[in-house]
Amino acid sequence: MAGQVIVPIDVAFNYKIVLAITCYTLKAPHMITTNLALLDIGLSRKLPSYRPAEFCQHAQTTGGHMSWAGAANIQGGVTIDLSAINQVEVSTNSKITSIGGGARWEDVYLKLDRMGLAVAGGRVAEVGVGGLLVGGGNSFFAAQHGFACDNVHNYEVVLGSGKIINANINENPDLFRALKGGNNNFGVVTRFDLKTFVQGKLWGGFIINPIETAAEQFKYIEDFATASGNGIDPYASVINAYIFGAKGPSAIANQFTYTKPEAFPSILHNFTSIQPQISNTLRVTNLTDLTIELGAGTPNGLRQLFGTATFAANASLLAHLFALARTAFLPIQNVSDFQASFVLQPISTAITSKAALTGGNSLGLGAQQGNLVWLDLTLQYSLPTDDAAVLNATQTLLAQSIAYAQSQNLYNEFVYLNYALQSQDPISSYGPESVARLRAASTKYDPQGVFQTLCPGGFKLWRESDERGGG
């Protein structure tokens, strides 16, 4: 047990706590454990009797990237830190990469880049593999291969009973589908086997433009989503971010990736031709380098809040939502170290149509819903005294944006779990059929409700107003 169970008197305990991606997530568990034997999850029986009455309460953490307290940590319980399970092993035929549940995407790409291979995974190097995949996961390869979760070939899962099982299209297929977006509701995933493909160098980076170019950029987002949805050049992706600071919106940061080593593809020409350019880092490079660069835009150590909504890819709508953001952020622009990003990510039918080819997922998205845009709000600041004001501004902006989009028949109810506020309900946004499948899988594989009641973090399948069936 030495070195595997860390309690508050250990120097390592405080070190683990401050490794949180954002100070907003800080909680103080009674114990952090990396002891894999303890994943035999009769938690109240297996852990030392430090505070027995509370030990059954636990959390799971991989990268700890969620922005709200309790999502991947717990106050007074046990945090299961999966970081020691970080192996990256490629099959002999190079078709499958087996990744430990505690690895980060940088671990994966450092190995695969050297081998000329890739997987459809996260776009930020330090994000945890596990959290991204059980939340769905966007990817630079999404138009080619679908969401990251659609590329999981097999999950190795420790159930609440302590039993270890595999979930894939042939073995426990209902759990296999449930884990694709179902969050931490079924067990502890200790290994993800991902489909792997040949991948050499790619082209990408950032262009920073003045905020005055916003109107044409909204048009180009709609045009890009339409072209991608029509199957034109699935190698390109865009992240379109409007940066706010103490003086309001200041710049537009576009992250482009083209998964071939070819510069300035025609599908991105409208964007890359916008002038003036404040800076330009576009180059031929590898996946590790691009994901490190993308992560540098959200430094650790500040308080951070996410919020999200989904809309039709419509330029006029996006312009109106941006105007709402200008107004909503005015009352908080002077909070200490304030920075906000109003981020648009095109989600075309080329992406949402892929799930059906790989056994389905839990997200409830499909090509019939048309080309979409995810709005991701990311706010950073430094003082806990500003928590309420920042949260209120975020919730106000989301409510106003949704109401306006509904009035224009341009709103989609989907809430991307990995960007959601704690008060949002991404599971319900998947639709009643998906929710029913998720609850059925929970009742079957977790009949005692270990991951509904004893693992309170994350987004649960039954909210407080719901009554859980089963055991």
Side-chain angles (χ1 to χ4, degrees):
M1 298 271 286
Q4 294 181 311
V5 175
I6 309 170
V7 297
I9 60 173
D10 296 328
V11 172
F13 181 89
N14 290 324
Y15 176 69
K16 286 281 187 183
I17 291 296
V18 301
L19 280 180
I21 293 288
T22 162
C23 293
Y24 201 80
T25 67
L26 291 181
K27 290 285 190 181
H30 287 317
M31 179 183 294
I32 300 171
T33 180
T34 59
N35 189 333
L36 305 192
L38 299 181
L39 293 183
D40 192 0
I41 301 197
L43 280 175
S44 61
R45 301 189 305 275
K46 298 295 181 183
L47 294 174
S49 55
Y50 190 53
R51 281 197 189 176
E54 298 181 10
F55 265 156
C56 56
Q57 292 280 315
H58 64 281
Q60 306 171 36
T61 184
T62 57
H65 194 70
M66 284 298 289
S67 68
W68 49 273
N73 207 348
I74 193 165
Q75 186 71 33
V78 177
T79 294
I80 301 170
D81 176 8
L82 296 171
S83 61
I85 317 176
N86 62 359
Q87 78 278 6
V88 180
E89 300 171 350
V90 180
S91 64
T92 55
N93 65 2
S94 298
K95 298 294 186 183
I96 298 292
T97 299
S98 296
I99 306 168
R104 296 175 186 262
W105 290 107
E106 185 173 6
D107 302 325
V108 178
Y109 299 145
L110 280 170
K111 180 162 187 173
L112 296 185
D113 277 340
R114 293 193 297 266
M115 301 175 69
L117 301 171
V119 294
R123 298 165 297 173
V124 174
E126 68 177 3
V127 165
V129 168
L132 180 114
L133 289 175
V134 298
N138 203 351
S139 164
F140 294 139
F141 302 98
Q144 296 169 259
H145 300 288
F147 292 115
C149 67
D150 296 325
N151 290 268
V152 179
H153 176 73
N154 178 73
Y155 301 86
E156 179 187 79
V157 190
V158 184
L159 302 179
S161 64
K163 184 179 181 181
I164 300 173
I165 66 172
N166 287 288
N168 53 62
I169 201 164
N170 297 311
E171 188 177 0
N172 303 307
D174 49 352
L175 180 60
F176 177 59
R177 183 170 186 172
L179 286 165
K180 298 180 182 183
N183 204 219
N184 63 351
N185 284 297
F186 308 98
V188 178
V189 182
T190 50
R191 194 186 77 238
F192 298 84
D193 298 335
L194 290 185
K195 298 171 185 176
T196 305
F197 46 87
V198 173
Q199 176 65 46
K201 297 283 188 177
L202 36 71
W203 178 83
F206 278 91
I207 293 180
I208 311 298
N209 299 113
I211 198 67
E212 289 75 18
T213 64
E216 57 188 311
Q217 303 227 17
F218 297 134
K219 176 64 166 61
Y220 297 157
I221 285 290
E222 179 180 349
D223 291 345
F224 177 85
T226 300
S228 178
N230 288 335
I232 298 173
D233 206 341
Y235 304 100
S237 63
V238 178
I239 303 173
N240 177 236
Y242 300 76
I243 310 303
F244 288 73
K247 296 182 180 180
S250 58
I252 302 170
N254 279 307
Q255 199 282 340
F256 306 112
T257 300
Y258 195 69
T259 59
K260 292 182 177 182
E262 300 173 9
F264 300 101
S266 60
I267 193 171
L268 297 174
H269 176 75
N270 286 342
F271 284 110
T272 58
S273 298
I274 296 173
Q275 296 295 334
Q277 295 181 0
I278 299 169
S279 65
N280 183 326
T281 69
L282 293 170
R283 74 276 188 197
V284 173
T285 185
N286 61 36
L287 197 50
T288 304
D289 182 43
L290 278 184
T291 58
I292 290 173
E293 180 185 47
L294 187 52
T298 51
N300 296 346
L302 292 173
R303 305 179 79 75
Q304 183 168 290
L305 200 64
F306 297 155
T308 188
T310 302
F311 305 98
N314 178 282
S316 297
L317 172 67
L318 300 179
H320 188 89
L321 302 185
F322 179 65
L324 292 176
R326 283 179 179 264
T327 302
F329 291 154
L330 276 173
I332 59 172
Q333 284 175 187
N334 292 322
V335 306
S336 182
D337 297 313
F338 173 77
Q339 178 174 296
S341 298
F342 175 98
V343 184
L344 303 175
Q345 299 186 44
I347 304 296
S348 74
T349 56
I351 299 171
T352 58
S353 63
K354 298 293 192 296
L357 305 176
T358 57
N361 61 37
S362 296
L363 304 178
L365 291 172
Q368 72 278 5
Q369 297 172 41
N371 298 313
L372 305 172
V373 171
W374 285 349
L375 169 62
D376 166 26
L377 303 175
T378 302
L379 294 88
Q380 290 187 301
Y381 57 103
S382 58
L383 299 178
T385 50
D386 292 319
D387 285 349
V390 173
L391 177 61
N392 180 67
T394 305
Q395 291 176 323
T396 297
L397 175 55
L398 286 172
Q400 292 175 343
S401 299
I402 291 168
Y404 180 78
Q406 286 174 326
S407 74
Q408 304 300 303
N409 199 30
L410 296 172
Y411 175 61
N412 185 289
E413 293 186 354
F414 178 77
V415 175
Y416 179 43
L417 187 148
N418 288 338
Y419 296 160
L421 274 173
Q422 185 176 7
S423 58
Q424 294 186 283
D425 187 5
I427 298 294
S428 289
S429 80
Y430 298 170
E433 290 184 8
S434 186
V435 170
R437 282 193 299 267
L438 289 166
R439 290 178 174 180
S442 173
T443 301
K444 177 179 178 180
Y445 294 96
D446 184 23
Q448 300 304 313
V450 170
F451 294 96
Q452 296 305 302
T453 58
L454 303 185
C455 181
F459 295 98
K460 301 292 97 176
L461 304 180
W462 285 267
R463 308 282 279 190
E464 290 183 4
S465 58
D466 298 324
E467 183 177 346
R468 184 179 193 272

